[in-house]
Amino acid sequence: LGPGRIGGRSGWFNDRSRMAMIASGPFSAGDVISFGLWFKTWQYESNMVLIHYADYWGGHVRKSQEKDHFTLTLESGIPVINTQPVVELRSIDPTNLADGNWHHIAVSMPRKSCYLSELQVYVDGSIVSTSIIGNRRIFQTTSGRMSIGGYGYSKSGFEDAYPGTGPYIGMLDDFVLFSRPLQIEADFPDVFATESPTASPVSRPPPSNFCNDGSQMFFWKMSNDESPSPILKQCTWLQDITPLEKILACYSNDWLYNSIPPAKLVCHLTCGYCAGS
């Protein structure tokens, strides 16, 4: 968990984390499903899964194209929706949303069994223009499960069907589902707020004297880099230093932070060099 966009905590995803629901649904046949969520990432050259719903173990992507799956990805920061490998809706706005800032994305299904081209995609409250490949009516598998940040239960089929697409790396917050079309301003008033809400303060202990203290949720910046001692002392919170200091710390200590998932993520969100490292 990390600091939240709306308050409280957000989900902090790395390349080994997944969130999968064991219960079936909520997508089913042609029923209306809409949703929205906040995300923040600096993986500007990666293809990553945000939301995924499909048959257990990827069966329908391997054996049948009669029923759909639903996959929302960020492809180099561009939102893309697939219901089959050859059926795709893509934002034509060239803005790369993997810029280290919070963004909101929402998808509205206007009616039952609509065509994929009828889906309305909103980014930060504004509807975006889209292109379509292989347009057809949406009919979801009725024995599927939902995953956030990866392919979840259907991993074995979809990682083959979508080569080059991997798990989401970054933060996710305030994921909301609706069984109706969206009323974008009423459903997501925080997107249209004149002032951005601030996250609730995170309670955390004072910095430890031992940088390799793996029991803490937060992580450390070395302030005595010249010391060869394996126990690194006199440390400060990496989160609390200035952006320039973060860049210098991440650049100098990538060998250390790359092995600590939360530190690796902060470095990726702060330092362009580190994001490609």
Side-chain angles (χ1 to χ4, degrees):
L1 297 176
R5 167 61 177 75
I6 306 301
R9 301 296 181 90
S10 64
W12 212 334
F13 289 74
N14 60 36
D15 56 359
R16 292 178 293 175
S17 60
R18 309 284 192 280
M19 183 176 180
M21 291 67 164
I22 195 169
S24 297
F27 293 81
S28 181
D31 291 349
V32 174
I33 288 288
S34 304
F35 62 87
L37 75 157
W38 289 94
F39 67 92
K40 180 178 181 179
T41 180
W42 204 307
Q43 299 295 307
Y44 55 87
E45 294 181 334
S46 298
N47 297 342
M48 305 181 293
V49 179
L50 282 173
I51 303 296
H52 178 68
Y53 171 84
D55 186 48
Y56 308 161
W57 314 117
H60 284 157
V61 78
R62 292 195 300 252
K63 301 175 182 176
S64 171
Q65 292 187 353
E66 294 179 2
K67 295 182 179 180
D68 292 324
H69 54 268
F70 189 99
T71 308
L72 170 63
T73 59
L74 280 180
E75 292 193 6
S76 299
I78 305 297
V80 179
I81 296 171
N82 282 88
T83 56
Q84 294 286 341
V86 294
V87 182
E88 173 187 287
L89 178 117
R90 175 183 297 266
S91 169
I92 59 176
D93 185 337
T95 304
N96 189 323
L97 301 175
D99 58 4
N101 296 309
W102 282 108
H103 292 285
H104 189 268
I105 186 167
V107 177
S108 181
M109 188 172 176
R111 61 188 178 91
K112 187 171 183 177
S113 300
C114 71
Y115 283 91
L116 183 63
S117 60
E118 295 180 73
L119 292 183
Q120 296 172 318
V121 179
Y122 297 85
V123 172
D124 297 331
S126 298
I127 196 165
V128 298
S129 298
T130 55
S131 62
I132 193 78
I133 297 174
N135 195 26
R136 73 178 197 178
R137 289 187 180 274
I138 296 173
F139 190 87
Q140 303 288 342
T141 177
T142 53
S143 59
R145 292 174 177 170
M146 173 170 280
S147 305
I148 298 175
Y151 288 126
Y153 289 103
S154 55
K155 170 183 174 182
S156 59
F158 284 84
E159 289 190 347
D160 295 334
Y162 294 95
T165 301
Y168 175 76
I169 300 174
M171 288 176 275
L172 297 174
D173 199 5
D174 201 35
F175 174 53
V176 186
L177 282 161
F178 300 86
S179 59
R180 57 166 174 78
L182 294 179
Q183 301 172 14
I184 191 68
E185 293 191 34
D187 292 332
F188 303 107
D190 50 290
V191 177
F192 298 91
T194 55
E195 295 184 3
S196 298
T198 57
S200 300
V202 177
S203 175
R204 58 193 183 192
S208 164
N209 287 329
F210 301 96
C211 290
N212 61 350
D213 180 0
S215 66
Q216 304 297 341
M217 184 180 72
F218 287 80
F219 35 89
W220 313 95
K221 166 191 176 289
M222 293 187 295
S223 56
N224 61 334
D225 300 335
E226 71 282 356
S227 171
S229 171
I231 298 177
L232 307 171
K233 299 182 179 180
Q234 300 175 355
C235 305
T236 55
W237 292 110
L238 181 62
Q239 273 293 80
D240 289 347
I241 60 179
T242 68
L244 178 58
E245 287 176 323
K246 284 182 188 178
I247 291 173
L248 294 174
C250 292
Y251 183 88
S252 302
N253 303 306
D254 59 347
W255 59 273
L256 173 64
Y257 295 147
N258 202 49
S259 63
I260 306 173
K264 179 180 177 181
L265 177 56
V266 162
C267 285
H268 283 192
L269 296 176
T270 305
C271 167
Y273 160 80
C274 306
S277 172

